[in-house]
Amino acid sequence: MDRSAEFRRWKTQCLSKADLSRKGSLDDDVVGLVQLLNEQEQFFTTSSCSGRIVLLDGGTNGFEIQKQNCCWLLVSHKPCVKDDVIEALKKVNGDAILKFEPFVLHVQCQALQDAQILHSVAMDSGFRNSGITVGKKGKTMLAVRSTHGLEVPLSQKGKLMVSEEYIAFVLNIANQKMEENKKRIERFYTCLQNALEREASSNSHLKVKSKENNSLYTHKKKRKPEKACDKCVIEKNDNGLENDEDDAGLNVNIFPEDY
């Protein structure tokens, strides 16, 4: 199986799977972006989160908190109000932590060149912690990430360690980060559209040039045999070519059709 066929098989399998996230569906702020990526033959998304404010009760392990073993007291993909956090803190039994987790997106790419284009888009959009990984089976993944997260402890062993004023202060910072996060997602979508348009225009230009070269070569082949033969002799003497057909082949493949 060639690489492009294998990639299409991976894409079909991934996009046909059920969404196993806690929410069970795409976040509203990334629906358009995810759809745009999945419409392209060279990309498909494997996971995403638009960004969220989370209040976790991690038991009594403090900063050794693990998501799979903790209780989610509050999850919001939109800005939060202080009263919601205060109400959720009434349920805490251990060490509560308020977090802002920025947008994250994982995209499998057909080729390294595709991943590099997408990586450039991510960097230009403000997601400066993005990176590319290539697996042993040739899977090329791009992770879109940023560094403007937030993580603040609020209680210890069920006891609130900060004032409501401080909670309001921290939550205000988290909400500002959420707004900035949304702007970066919108910027990413616009930059991606522009990059795809440039790539399509470039590919179209190359195909036109390829057709022009092929047409020129075909026209040359239709000349009278005796004149064509004279031309071959001249080229052979001037350039020291052993076979004039090899030279013609080089002209045909300057802009191959499948570029």
Side-chain angles (χ1 to χ4, degrees), residues 9 44 55 61 112 150 156 158 169 180 198 206 229:
R9 179 177 62 83
F44 67 90
L55 182 64
N61 293 324
L112 182 58
L150 179 70
Q156 184 178 40
F169 167 72
E180 171 61 24
R198 287 194 301 269
L206 289 173
C229 181

Side-chain angles (χ1 to χ4, degrees), residues 4 32 98 100 114 123-124 129 149 153-154 157 207 224 241-242:
S4 59
L98 180 69
F100 167 71
D114 301 318
M123 296 292 283
D124 290 343
N129 198 31
L154 299 180
K157 296 180 180 180
K207 287 181 179 180
K224 293 182 179 181
L241 295 175
E242 295 181 1

Side-chain angles (χ1 to χ4, degrees), residues 13-243:
Q13 289 178 346
C14 180
L15 298 183
S16 63
K17 291 180 180 178
D19 189 334
L20 300 178
S21 64
R22 286 175 179 264
K23 185 180 178 185
S25 62
L26 289 173
D27 299 333
D28 292 341
D29 289 338
V30 296
V31 170
L33 175 59
V34 169
Q35 289 178 345
L36 177 61
L37 283 166
N38 289 332
E39 287 170 357
Q40 314 306 314
E41 64 178 17
Q42 69 270 38
F43 302 123
F44 67 90
T45 59
T46 60
S47 65
S48 66
C49 176
S50 66
R52 60 193 178 187
I53 295 173
V54 185
L55 182 64
L56 303 172
D57 183 356
T60 57
N61 293 324
F63 287 102
E64 296 178 4
I65 186 170
Q66 298 294 325
K67 287 184 179 179
Q68 59 268 30
N69 297 322
C70 68
C71 176
W72 296 56
L73 301 175
L74 176 68
V75 181
S76 176
H77 297 276
K78 304 292 182 182
C80 290
V81 297
K82 184 189 71 172
D83 290 345
D84 290 340
V85 176
I86 296 298
E87 187 63 28
L89 281 169
K90 295 178 181 179
K91 306 173 186 177
V92 68
N93 294 311
D95 300 344
I97 295 178
L98 180 69
K99 301 180 68 176
F100 167 71
E101 297 177 334
F103 168 71
V104 62
L105 176 71
H106 293 91
V107 184
Q108 188 166 335
C109 307
Q110 187 168 16
L112 182 58
Q113 179 182 355
D114 301 318
Q116 289 171 331
I117 292 172
L118 204 54
H119 181 263
S120 178
V121 169
M123 296 292 283
D124 290 343
S125 304
F127 298 104
R128 300 303 179 90
N129 198 31
S130 301
I132 300 171
T133 58
V134 180
K136 293 181 179 179
K137 294 183 179 181
K139 291 184 177 181
T140 304
M141 297 291 302
L142 173 75
V144 181
R145 298 181 297 246
S146 64
T147 58
H148 69 298
L150 179 70
E151 182 170 333
V152 181
L154 299 180
S155 72
Q156 184 178 40
K157 296 180 180 180
K159 180 183 178 182
L160 190 63
M161 304 299 292
V162 297
S163 66
E164 290 192 15
E165 182 181 8
Y166 182 76
I167 292 173
F169 167 72
V170 171
L171 189 59
N172 182 55
I173 295 175
N175 286 336
Q176 289 177 0
K177 289 179 177 290
M178 179 70 81
E179 292 297 335
E180 171 61 24
N181 184 74
K182 184 176 181 179
K183 291 179 182 178
R184 293 188 188 187
I185 294 173
E186 293 170 350
R187 196 180 309 144
F188 187 96
Y189 183 86
T190 301
C191 289
L192 176 59
Q193 282 184 315
N194 293 336
L196 291 173
E197 289 173 1
R198 287 194 301 269
E199 187 72 7
S201 177
S202 176
N203 290 340
S204 176
H205 176 70
L206 289 173
K207 287 181 179 180
V208 168
K209 294 293 290 183
S210 176
K211 289 180 180 179
E212 289 175 353
N213 283 326
N214 286 338
S215 176
L216 179 62
Y217 173 65
T218 301
H219 178 69
K220 287 181 178 180
K221 286 186 67 177
K222 290 181 179 180
R223 291 176 300 179
K224 293 182 179 181
E226 54 274 11
K227 289 187 177 181
C229 181
D230 292 341
K231 175 65 175 177
C232 289
V233 172
I234 293 171
E235 288 181 346
K236 189 173 182 179
N237 291 335
D238 289 348
N239 301 321
L241 295 175
E242 295 181 1
N243 190 330

